[in-house]
Amino acid sequence: MDALSDTDLALMKFGVGQPVSRKEDPMLLRGEGRYTDDINLPGQAYAVMVRSRIAHGRIRSIDATAALAMPGVLRVLTHADLEAAGFGPLMCALNIPDRHGKPMKTPPRPCLAKDKVRFVGEPVACVVAETVSQAKDAAELVELGIDELPAVTDPAEAFRPGAPQLHDDVPGNLALDFHYGDAEAVKAAFAKAAHVTRLEIVSNRIVVNPMEPRSAIGSHDAETGRWTLHVGCQGVMGLRGGLARDVLKVPPEKVHVLTGNVGGSFGMKSQVFPEYGPLLLASKLLGRPVKWTDERSESFLSDHHGRDHQRVAELALDKDGNFLAVRLSGYGNAGAYIYPPMPATTNAVKNLIDVYKTPVMEVNSRVMFTNTTPVAAYRGAGRPEGNYFMERLIDMAAREMSIDRAELRRRNHIQPQQMPYKAPSGMNYDSGDFTAILDQALAVADWQGFEMRKRESARRNRLRGRGIGSYLEVTGPPSKEYGGIRFEEDGTVTMLSGTLDYGQGHATPFAQVVSERTGIPFDRLRLLQGDSDQLKVGGGTGGSRSALVGSQAFIEAADKLIEQGKQIAAHVLEASATDIEFAHGRFTIAGTDRGLGVMELAEKLRSGLKLPPDIPQSLDVSHVSDNPPFSFPNGCHIAEVEIDRDTGEIEVVRYFMVNDFGTIINPMLVEGQAHGGVVQGIGQAIFERTVYDAQGQPLTGSYMDYALPRASDAPSFTVQSHPVPCRTNTLGVKGCGEAGCAGALPSVVNAVIDALSEVGVTHIDMPLTPEKVWRALNGSKG
């Protein structure tokens, strides 16, 4: 057996498929992370927002006289200042047509409220002072004269005649009346069905709660006219584009966005937020940087919320339990302003079908304005909800038709031989082995041994239930992505990507891909994502796209590097470029042992190697990839819960998941993503509840009233993989970042309802709090 080369040995440890520890963890554990609030620029001032305490009202006056007289106060900005400076409002980045093909209603959102306030927490003024304390004290003295108007917080109530109107140009508060599907075909399928299951179901509103609150520092260079924003976000290029286009009204090249470490986002930090405009204007007016950092109490009000859908879900089946059609109707809550409402519309369409061969479908969604915090993407952004609705329908149908719930799923699975499969959602599934995954999950969860565990729970006065949550997500929205490779003077190599790591650990799997492809040592590779001046394009991170599109861009960039390297190596080795081969990180002359490594070639270039003008002058690559189509990660989660009969308290006691993420670049990171997603799913299913009163006042505005899952609420997870490589990208990867939520919601809720079926309960809406469960156990609906 030939001896393994150093490159081969390295790939055994750091190549694709290896559980490599995250590059950034030692730095973060030492407290050396650099988050936005860690940055302090010379001469910076500090901003505090004055927010509305009223959910709906007309602004009569803003009196900053007393505030401006306070020590250290530099400016108090209002909408009038922004308007005078030519700053624009925030605009919805995507317009989804309604059922008649007409555009969605997208009233602009002013950075600081103009004429009206529409939710508690809306910024009305921005106070800038020498210190944070001075700005806070002054903000308390800004007097807002607001004539209060009636408020509406429920989307169904907002649609009723006579409801309070939020926007003058949006009659009936209806932002979008969305429809997808063949209504007549669905109607016919329901008409001939032997059985119809109908379920009124809610996906509860979520406060996103990333570990790091939002923060930003705005500055302006008077000589160049350039704006710079230090900010935590999900992609610097997208944020730059939105700021430049909508707020600043300048070419994108006039805006520089810088992002360091980001302490979580889950979709929320992807948008341009209203605070950024006042910060940038203040920095220009004062000639110095201006910093703002949110506090947790403000985050509850001002960070975009997630979910909040009210649905009627219906499933039509024939006498043998074969699915004939699925229909989803109801409301999505946009909040006071509109952001791309894919969770309630297009993403509901793409993900409702799940893993089942359902012939026809229909989705009807009224997206409504209400006097609540705006709703935007939250981990999964409609994907977990779509799977949740279908999986709840299946469990209910199985019970109503006296069919085993696992067998009903098997009966309706799309089979591997049907791939590629054109779903009625318009999606083309390329791969999957859904029945095998279900069976593997049932086996690992010891499904057959459940009755013994149930009896043991009963001896302790506890109910026990089990739930299945199959899922299929449509991930990796196709868009261009940047993949750059740059050899530095110090011998390191920089990977440049338009994705952005806000906790996922991108540096490690990207380095695994590039190292395997090029032979560049893993420990020499560095990742740069957070500087808009150094990128060409960038789709950011969202929709579980990064492993798919980022890796694809790096693979294509690596191939370009190799082609350039062959030409340069041919010159160094005095051979024809057509005779140069590349393998294991080395360029060699075919049929000989003469060659040199990629890093050796890079060193020669750094040392001043002179090259003919007709060949590449560097190994550096700057590449824009036309990315592959969607991927379809899928899997099956099984949860077991115990319920205390006396208190209604739920404990998730066992949890198993079998996932198909295609080719797995780093199994350690994938498992971590699955754990996090499941815990967030458990949070929504059991704990998290956002409540407004009749006046639009949030009643769950702190951790005193809003429950998040703790470590003690998470069970031990058993994670197994059943990979079926994706056929539409080079590596065969499928997105994994949001799948934990998609499997957790249905598996946990189905398990709870299974336990409560002993007392005749067929459904409870999330969150399944102890109070709700106790009332169900005691026969009360109050």
Side-chain angles (χ1 to χ4, degrees):
M1 180 178 177
D2 294 337
L4 293 173
S5 69
D6 290 343
T7 301
D8 291 329
L9 291 170
L11 291 179
M12 290 175 66
K13 184 176 181 180
F14 298 114
V16 169
Q18 299 304 311
V20 185
S21 298
R22 303 197 320 174
K23 281 175 170 279
E24 65 272 25
D25 283 350
M27 175 265 294
L28 294 175
L29 290 169
R30 291 193 299 267
E32 296 171 359
R34 187 171 169 81
Y35 299 86
T36 304
D37 191 55
D38 294 324
I39 299 168
N40 292 291
L41 302 179
Q44 73 186 17
Y46 296 85
V48 168
M49 301 298 152
V50 179
R51 301 187 183 275
S52 174
R53 299 180 181 181
I54 293 173
H56 196 199
R58 297 195 182 279
I59 301 173
R60 184 173 15 91
S61 63
I62 303 172
D63 187 351
T65 305
L68 287 166
M70 291 287 288
V73 174
L74 303 170
R75 296 289 297 226
V76 177
L77 298 179
T78 66
H79 175 78
D81 299 294
L82 293 167
E83 198 167 52
F87 279 39
L90 309 183
M91 302 299 294
C92 183
L94 177 68
N95 197 300
I96 299 171
D98 72 7
R99 65 174 60 242
H100 304 296
K102 295 180 180 180
M104 181 173 70
K105 302 290 187 182
T106 57
R109 178 182 183 180
C111 292
L112 296 173
K114 176 186 179 182
D115 301 332
K116 284 182 77 174
V117 292
R118 295 179 172 87
F119 69 97
V120 173
E122 181 166 9
V124 181
C126 174
V127 177
V128 185
E130 295 288 354
T131 69
V132 174
S133 296
Q134 289 171 335
K136 283 184 178 181
D137 289 344
E140 292 289 332
L141 297 179
V142 176
E143 296 183 10
L144 303 181
I146 299 176
D147 295 327
E148 190 167 3
L149 298 169
V152 61
T153 62
D154 181 276
E157 294 291 330
F159 187 66
R160 291 183 178 177
Q165 298 296 291
L166 272 76
H167 300 276
D168 294 340
D169 57 347
V170 184
N173 298 314
L174 181 61
L176 175 63
D177 185 9
F178 175 85
H179 174 264
Y180 177 89
D182 186 334
E184 289 303 314
V186 170
K187 182 179 178 181
F190 273 87
K192 73 176 184 180
H195 182 84
V196 172
T197 291
R198 184 180 185 275
L199 177 63
E200 294 184 11
I201 189 168
V202 169
S203 178
N204 42 316
R205 178 179 281 241
I206 295 295
V207 177
V208 176
N209 287 304
M211 189 177 295
E212 176 204 23
R214 289 188 296 116
S215 181
I217 308 173
S219 60
H220 179 262
D221 188 321
E223 290 187 10
T224 64
R226 291 196 86 204
W227 306 86
T228 299
L229 187 71
H230 293 263
V231 65
C233 68
Q234 291 187 199
V236 294
M237 300 303 282
L239 197 76
R240 183 187 77 161
L243 269 177
R245 179 186 63 248
D246 298 333
V247 178
L248 299 174
K249 309 290 187 183
V250 298
E253 307 79 55
K254 287 290 184 180
V255 181
H256 188 194
V257 176
L258 291 164
T259 297
N261 293 115
V262 182
S265 174
F266 311 114
M268 184 268 292
K269 294 175 183 174
S270 62
Q271 307 289 339
V272 177
F273 274 84
E275 294 88 354
Y276 306 158
L279 291 180
L280 290 165
L281 177 57
S283 72
K284 180 179 180 180
L285 296 175
L286 296 173
R288 55 196 290 195
V290 178
K291 181 177 183 177
W292 164 81
T293 298
D294 217 352
E295 295 187 352
R296 188 62 67 182
S297 57
E298 283 186 278
S299 295
F300 268 84
L301 305 176
S302 63
D303 288 355
H304 298 159
H305 291 176
R307 311 294 197 231
D308 204 346
H309 307 140
Q310 299 176 8
R311 296 294 200 179
V312 175
E314 300 168 281
L315 182 64
L317 306 92
D318 69 13
K319 63 181 178 59
D320 297 316
N322 296 302
F323 300 168
L324 303 177
V326 64
R327 182 163 55 203
L328 189 65
S329 306
Y331 298 93
N333 195 340
Y337 297 96
I338 193 78
Y339 288 85
M342 288 97 74
T345 57
T346 55
N347 281 358
V349 170
K350 293 172 184 174
N351 295 274
L352 179 63
I353 291 299
D354 203 343
V355 295
Y356 307 106
K357 53 179 189 287
T358 310
V360 291
M361 70 179 299
E362 184 180 3
V363 174
N364 298 282
S365 299
R366 293 188 178 113
V367 180
M368 305 300 300
F369 287 113
T370 66
N371 295 114
T372 61
T373 298
V375 172
Y378 173 71
R379 197 168 191 165
R383 299 173 186 86
E385 299 97 303
N387 289 281
Y388 172 62
F389 300 146
M390 179 60 98
E391 293 293 312
R392 284 293 298 124
L393 281 171
I394 294 171
D395 256 35
M396 182 169 283
R399 185 170 289 114
E400 292 170 348
M401 298 182 73
S402 299
I403 300 175
D404 177 81
R405 65 192 112 165
E407 175 55 31
L408 185 58
R409 287 173 167 86
R410 288 191 194 96
R411 199 170 295 178
N412 288 280
H413 276 154
I414 301 162
Q415 296 302 315
Q417 61 269 24
Q418 294 178 274
M419 300 295 178
Y421 179 81
K422 181 65 176 277
S425 61
M427 295 291 100
N428 288 297
Y429 298 178
D430 67 281
S431 58
D433 193 1
F434 309 136
T435 301
I437 285 174
L438 170 63
D439 290 343
Q440 184 177 337
L442 294 173
V444 71
D446 186 24
W447 189 260
Q448 299 303 319
F450 173 75
E451 292 302 326
M452 182 179 67
R453 296 189 294 275
K454 184 175 181 178
R455 289 192 295 271
E456 192 278 328
S457 297
R459 287 194 289 270
R460 294 182 286 109
N461 197 36
R462 298 175 76 86
L463 296 171
R464 194 178 190 106
R466 56 184 174 174
I468 298 172
S470 293
Y471 71 90
L472 179 141
E473 290 194 301
V474 181
T475 66
S479 61
K480 294 183 182 296
E481 191 50 80
Y482 186 60
I485 301 175
R486 188 173 67 205
F487 289 78
E488 307 292 2
E489 288 298 318
D490 63 359
T492 61
V493 180
T494 300
M495 305 175 293
L496 299 99
S497 175
T499 62
L500 201 138
D501 179 353
Y502 46 89
Q504 292 87 349
H506 287 176
T508 299
F510 285 161
Q512 289 175 258
V513 170
V514 173
S515 179
E516 179 169 289
R517 202 79 174 182
T518 65
I520 297 171
F522 176 86
D523 59 3
R524 297 279 193 98
L525 289 160
R526 306 288 183 267
L527 179 63
L528 188 151
Q529 299 170 306
D531 185 343
S532 64
D533 279 3
Q534 298 195 54
L535 306 176
K536 282 189 174 181
V537 300
T541 291
S544 298
R545 73 186 292 274
S546 294
L548 174 66
V549 298
S551 295
Q552 183 69 28
F554 279 127
I555 287 170
E556 293 172 10
D559 289 346
K560 284 191 170 185
L561 182 158
I562 292 167
E563 289 306 309
Q564 292 172 198
K566 285 180 178 179
Q567 296 181 59
I568 299 170
H571 171 74
V572 173
L573 298 171
E574 298 179 335
S576 169
T578 58
D579 292 332
I580 300 298
E581 296 177 341
F582 181 81
H584 308 293
R586 286 183 59 80
F587 298 96
T588 58
I589 301 173
T592 76
D593 59 358
R594 291 186 57 214
L596 73 170
V598 63
M599 298 306 289
E600 187 180 353
L601 187 57
E603 175 59 33
K604 288 182 179 294
L605 290 167
R606 277 196 304 275
S607 300
L609 175 66
K610 300 297 183 183
L611 298 173
D614 58 342
I615 68 171
Q617 301 296 297
S618 153
L619 291 174
D620 295 349
V621 173
S622 180
H623 174 68
V624 175
S625 171
D626 287 321
N627 278 306
F630 293 107
S631 71
F632 303 94
N634 60 89
C636 181
H637 292 204
I638 295 179
E640 285 190 20
V641 303
E642 284 190 335
I643 300 174
D644 189 308
R645 286 180 176 270
D646 295 328
T647 65
E649 184 178 3
I650 299 167
E651 182 182 359
V652 183
V653 292
R654 301 175 84 232
Y655 201 98
F656 306 87
M657 58 188 113
V658 178
N659 300 304
D660 170 15
F661 296 135
T663 300
I664 294 178
I665 300 172
N666 187 314
M668 182 188 300
L669 270 62
V670 166
E671 189 164 332
Q673 287 290 305
H675 287 186
V678 168
V679 172
Q680 285 185 281
I682 291 172
Q684 182 177 359
I686 298 177
F687 297 97
E688 300 184 52
R689 181 170 178 241
T690 308
V691 181
Y692 289 89
D693 70 11
Q695 288 74 45
Q697 292 293 329
L699 303 182
T700 48
S702 76
Y703 294 138
M704 293 292 290
D705 306 294
Y706 188 94
L708 286 176
R710 302 184 180 191
S712 58
D713 298 312
S716 294
F717 300 114
T718 297
V719 184
Q720 291 190 359
S721 181
H722 186 104
V724 181
C726 182
R727 299 174 182 174
T728 58
N729 65 78
T730 304
L731 274 181
V733 300
K734 302 174 183 179
C736 74
E738 295 155 309
C741 282
L745 294 184
S747 63
V748 171
V749 175
N750 280 341
V752 173
I753 301 304
D754 181 56
L756 294 175
S757 65
E758 287 191 19
V759 295
V761 174
T762 58
H763 182 69
I764 304 176
D765 276 320
M766 301 183 295
L768 308 177
T769 61
E771 179 187 359
K772 284 185 183 179
V773 174
W774 183 88
R775 289 182 181 277
L777 285 168
N778 288 275
S780 171
K781 295 183 179 179

